[in-house]
Amino acid sequence: MKIGLLICALTLTAVALVAAAPVARIQSILAKPEVLCGRFDQTKRLVGLKRPVTSNGRFCVLADKGVLWRSLQPFSTTLRLTRDQIVQMQGQRVTQRLDARREPAVQMIHDVFFALLAGDLGQLEKFFVVEGDVHEKSWSVTLKAREPGLAQAISGIALEGGVFVKSIAIDETNGDRTKIVFSAIQTGAGAITAEEAALF
Amino acid sequence: MNRRNLLAWVWGVIVCLLLAHSAYLLMSDRLAPDTDILALLPVQERDPVLQKAVTHIVASTRQRLVVLVGADDWEQTRRAANAYHAVLAPHTELLRLDDRANSWQADESLVGRHRLILMTGSDERALKRQPESYWINFALSNLYSPFAGGKLAPWQDDPFGLFAAWMQARAGETRIRPRDGRLFVSEGRRQYVVMLFTLGVSAFSMSAQKTLMPLLEEAQQAARMAAPQGEVLKEGVILHAAAAGAQAQWEVSIIGAGSILGIAALIWLTFHSLKPIAWIMLSIGVGCLGALSLCWILFERIHLLTLVFGASLIGGAQDYGSYFLCNRLTAEGQKLDSRQLLRRLLPALTLALVTTVVGYLALALTPFPGLQQMAVFSALGLIFAWLSVICWFPALVRNGAVTSAPAVKWFEGSLWRWQSLRCRRRLLWAGSLFIVAAVFGLSRLDVQDDIRLLQSPPRHLIADQLQMSRLLAAPAPAQFYLVRGPTVEDLLQREEALKRRLDPLVEKQIIGGYHSMSDWVPSFQTQAARRSLIEKKLLDEDGALATLARRIGAGSQWVDSTRDRLRASGLALTPDEFLSTAASESVRHLWLGEVAGGHASIVALRGVSEANLLFLRRAASGLEGVQWVDTVEEISSVLGRYRRYMGWVIVLSYFAVYILLYSRYGGSAWRVLAPIALASAATLAVLGITGQSLQLFHVLALMLLLGVGVDYGIFFKDHPRRSDPVGWLSVGLSALSTLFSFGLLSLSKTPALQAFGLTMLIGTVAVCLIVPCFDYETQQKVGEPAPLAL
């Protein structure tokens, strides 16, 4: 009887270890540069719209600072996320600003977005249930929101990557789908342009 | 049964009835005193709508307990919060956690049918002013934003982000957000779990306070164990009530026990016998019993502060008994029995009782229910103590029952140390010195009528409250606008007119923001205006929507279906429909509904401070049906008004008492009143010199000082010869016991009671010192020891 319990407990532990394994392995595969910039191509399929809406631009992830997301084609708009505020700009004009002092969710939005682009699964596990597979140097995971409010809007997020995150797919509960593919990724101080650095 | 003892027997039966009633109250647990601080405040009798608004706001917060558990990271915070809640969770009969984690999100059906008419004031202005291109760019930047998800409505249901901005504004009314099935706020690195508890027991029940407080302490310990660097903040009416209750209970026992011991010691020093102590305690006991019992019958509950104040009654209640006993001392030589003695003393005793009771009842003239209760309690106590002396003492105290102790001789001798008024040169000096000091003191006296006189919460509660009001940015409970209108539509339009005045204040960050029903349910007028604005600017044949469709390559079919869907979500919304949804939780307490033949509502404000009160008052001026309500200011103004009013009552009382005294003492009646008047001036001067601000409770105490001081004058006046020092002895005993009671009361933590006690303390000492100077017969005695200088 006692031995039976022991075996049972060991098996459960083993299962837990297997489940946790991909996150740790993926973390070990991922590079964690100070500065990460690249190109993104975004495709949105909206319910009721026959043609997908496509756009592209550049993004930068700066450790300890935040995220810069610049749509360039066909519509130019810049989004800057830090822990303190989220700012949307058209050219130099600020069109929307969310301040963490007024909106406590700003920090959370920043943390999630930052973790998605940096592939920080440890951070993402705070907000999502993470399941994944690893094949040598490439990996894929699916995320389900823990927060009921978020789960109401987003049915699932899929991430694919290797050393960096390669693509993000977001499924919304109403049927809208967004796919973002990253390419031309550069790291290090030279990755960010002077113009972009000035925006921080 | 002896006929002569009939009175004593009848009184005995009445006292037995009082005992039985008190025992019944004690057994049925109804004696538990009230701790509601608001019960002390005046009721707004003038305006039923305003009264309803105030009770509405009070009721919405009374049974609330808000607890914030915070630490520097979310995991620790959650652990601490779970530990905290685990201690309280089994006690569902005491309090329950409100798990409203999702209720801030608008109701699904509500959103679907009325989304189109819900927009912020600034977007409404932008719709009027901004060109179509502005809205097209706005829609496109929303479309291309990676944040499509997480918005409350799909992009196509709200392409121009009007509803999202409105929702953002509503969410911005509170800083509390759902997270991991809990509510949370953050400040800097600090993360807090917010727990909203609803009490299942009355916040003012002392037994509930006594069970809950240790539990909260235990929960706090558990949270500390789980997160040693964490902190726990709490706020709730029950915390204040419990603190005030514990404080007052402590004060009742200190004042009560201190006075009893002091008086027992005094009587021992005077008579060197236990019997007089027992007699005096008996009269005090019956006084307290009668006050408690009758007060409960009259008011159906007794406030704890009444008991604190009532404890000082002990000093006053002993006066009659000790006056009788002191006279018994001298009666021995005159072969009077107790009954004859009483007959001789009755006029003076009656006058003393009447003047003191009148002094107390002046408190009952104020509109403060708490003061009325204190006054009635004290007056009843005195009357019962007095009746006990009248009915029982003649039967109890036999001839030769009391003898004076050696200390009495010394005390009686001390009377000769007083200077009499006849020494003209010295009087001139003393008089001018007194006048200079009094004028100096009075000139330094300023006034204060702050509500904080009535309550003084412990510092840690105030600190928690300040921090929580910053963290949660909750609306102010004491200041708000009361809006009225004959119909719901008028009411909502008036709210909107008020908000148009408040918007600039919010923009300039003079106030944090406002809460109102019309934020959620605009008036029909506004709903119609918004619909036509959207039609014209966005949905028109060649409006923003059509251009937007071309930009994203969507066909006319998409334009038509989107337009239809948007129009379908623009149905008229009424407060009644909104109130039936869960989303209305946060504004329900603002909607008074149908009152006094019209409709009324409250517009609440965030970020109210001393500095912006003036702007807020001004914002309401000239608006029909809008009234600025500042309950703090209102109470302060009542306190101020009654301070002045009671001042005049005192002046009139001096005249009334003078007439009363004139009937007995004729032309020398002024000699009874003059010491009190001088003592009152001296008291005010001392207050001024020590930097205290004059407030209602000082003035009320001066009224009572008149009542008590007249006793001294009467006792003295009836024994004017210095060879007959009974008057002086009675005054001495009475004054010293008053000093015990009110001296201890002046140590109270409640500022009002402290002021009252302090005034009585200074005043009684002063009256006592001055009274012998107005004794005019001294100089006629020859061969007495020469009086010493004052």
mmCIF file of all heavy atoms in Angstrom, chain B residues 28-29 65 185 253 504 530 533 596 705 711 763:
data_model
loop_
_atom_site.group_PDB
_atom_site.id
_atom_site.type_symbol
_atom_site.label_atom_id
_atom_site.label_comp_id
_atom_site.label_asym_id
_atom_site.label_seq_id
_atom_site.Cartn_x
_atom_site.Cartn_y
_atom_site.Cartn_z
ATOM 1 N N SER B 28 -30.719 40.716 29.034
ATOM 2 C CA SER B 28 -31.142 40.574 27.638
ATOM 3 C C SER B 28 -30.101 41.184 26.707
ATOM 4 O O SER B 28 -30.330 41.314 25.517
ATOM 5 C CB SER B 28 -32.506 41.234 27.427
ATOM 6 O OG SER B 28 -32.433 42.584 27.814
ATOM 7 N N ASP B 29 -28.951 41.575 27.259
ATOM 8 C CA ASP B 29 -27.820 42.049 26.456
ATOM 9 C C ASP B 29 -28.168 43.312 25.670
ATOM 10 O O ASP B 29 -27.658 43.548 24.589
ATOM 11 C CB ASP B 29 -27.351 40.943 25.492
ATOM 12 C CG ASP B 29 -25.890 41.145 25.117
ATOM 13 O OD1 ASP B 29 -25.160 41.739 25.938
ATOM 14 O OD2 ASP B 29 -25.495 40.728 24.012
ATOM 15 N N LEU B 65 -15.758 46.659 4.612
ATOM 16 C CA LEU B 65 -14.401 46.619 5.147
ATOM 17 C C LEU B 65 -13.490 46.363 3.958
ATOM 18 O O LEU B 65 -13.660 45.375 3.253
ATOM 19 C CB LEU B 65 -14.269 45.498 6.184
ATOM 20 C CG LEU B 65 -12.859 45.283 6.734
ATOM 21 C CD1 LEU B 65 -12.436 46.462 7.593
ATOM 22 C CD2 LEU B 65 -12.780 44.011 7.554
ATOM 23 N N VAL B 185 -4.481 46.491 -7.276
ATOM 24 C CA VAL B 185 -3.997 47.814 -7.670
ATOM 25 C C VAL B 185 -2.489 47.788 -7.484
ATOM 26 O O VAL B 185 -1.944 46.932 -6.791
ATOM 27 C CB VAL B 185 -4.553 48.970 -6.809
ATOM 28 C CG1 VAL B 185 -5.993 49.224 -7.067
ATOM 29 C CG2 VAL B 185 -4.291 48.739 -5.353
ATOM 30 N N SER B 253 -14.220 53.507 32.473
ATOM 31 C CA SER B 253 -13.771 52.832 33.692
ATOM 32 C C SER B 253 -12.765 53.697 34.456
ATOM 33 O O SER B 253 -12.783 53.719 35.689
ATOM 34 C CB SER B 253 -13.188 51.448 33.380
ATOM 35 O OG SER B 253 -12.713 51.383 32.087
ATOM 36 N N PRO B 504 -13.699 71.113 -17.338
ATOM 37 C CA PRO B 504 -12.457 71.912 -17.304
ATOM 38 C C PRO B 504 -11.650 71.682 -16.019
ATOM 39 O O PRO B 504 -10.417 71.700 -16.061
ATOM 40 C CB PRO B 504 -12.961 73.358 -17.350
ATOM 41 C CG PRO B 504 -14.353 73.299 -17.864
ATOM 42 C CD PRO B 504 -14.884 71.958 -17.506
ATOM 43 N N ARG B 530 -26.013 62.438 -30.170
ATOM 44 C CA ARG B 530 -24.886 61.579 -30.548
ATOM 45 C C ARG B 530 -25.216 60.737 -31.772
ATOM 46 O O ARG B 530 -24.386 60.586 -32.673
ATOM 47 C CB ARG B 530 -24.520 60.666 -29.375
ATOM 48 C CG ARG B 530 -23.840 61.435 -28.264
ATOM 49 C CD ARG B 530 -23.534 60.555 -27.084
ATOM 50 N NE ARG B 530 -22.820 61.311 -26.067
ATOM 51 C CZ ARG B 530 -22.464 60.809 -24.891
ATOM 52 N NH1 ARG B 530 -22.746 59.554 -24.606
ATOM 53 N NH2 ARG B 530 -21.815 61.553 -24.020
ATOM 54 N N LEU B 533 -24.953 62.932 -34.764
ATOM 55 C CA LEU B 533 -23.545 63.248 -35.053
ATOM 56 C C LEU B 533 -22.863 62.097 -35.783
ATOM 57 O O LEU B 533 -22.152 62.297 -36.771
ATOM 58 C CB LEU B 533 -22.796 63.478 -33.739
ATOM 59 C CG LEU B 533 -22.525 64.897 -33.284
ATOM 60 C CD1 LEU B 533 -21.811 64.882 -31.943
ATOM 61 C CD2 LEU B 533 -21.683 65.630 -34.321
ATOM 62 N N ALA B 596 -39.738 62.760 -3.011
ATOM 63 C CA ALA B 596 -40.507 63.984 -2.759
ATOM 64 C C ALA B 596 -41.072 64.578 -4.056
ATOM 65 O O ALA B 596 -40.897 65.749 -4.358
ATOM 66 C CB ALA B 596 -39.632 65.015 -2.044
ATOM 67 N N LEU B 705 -20.802 75.248 34.232
ATOM 68 C CA LEU B 705 -20.064 75.862 35.345
ATOM 69 C C LEU B 705 -20.991 76.803 36.111
ATOM 70 O O LEU B 705 -20.928 76.888 37.341
ATOM 71 C CB LEU B 705 -18.849 76.622 34.813
ATOM 72 C CG LEU B 705 -17.942 77.228 35.875
ATOM 73 C CD1 LEU B 705 -17.258 76.133 36.667
ATOM 74 C CD2 LEU B 705 -16.913 78.160 35.266
ATOM 75 N N ASP B 711 -24.264 76.387 42.978
ATOM 76 C CA ASP B 711 -24.325 75.530 44.180
ATOM 77 C C ASP B 711 -23.367 76.046 45.241
ATOM 78 O O ASP B 711 -23.722 76.168 46.409
ATOM 79 C CB ASP B 711 -23.890 74.095 43.842
ATOM 80 C CG ASP B 711 -24.922 73.375 42.996
ATOM 81 O OD1 ASP B 711 -25.868 74.035 42.553
ATOM 82 O OD2 ASP B 711 -24.761 72.158 42.790
ATOM 83 N N GLY B 763 -12.473 76.037 35.622
ATOM 84 C CA GLY B 763 -13.568 76.853 36.115
ATOM 85 C C GLY B 763 -13.889 76.553 37.577
ATOM 86 O O GLY B 763 -14.057 77.472 38.387
#
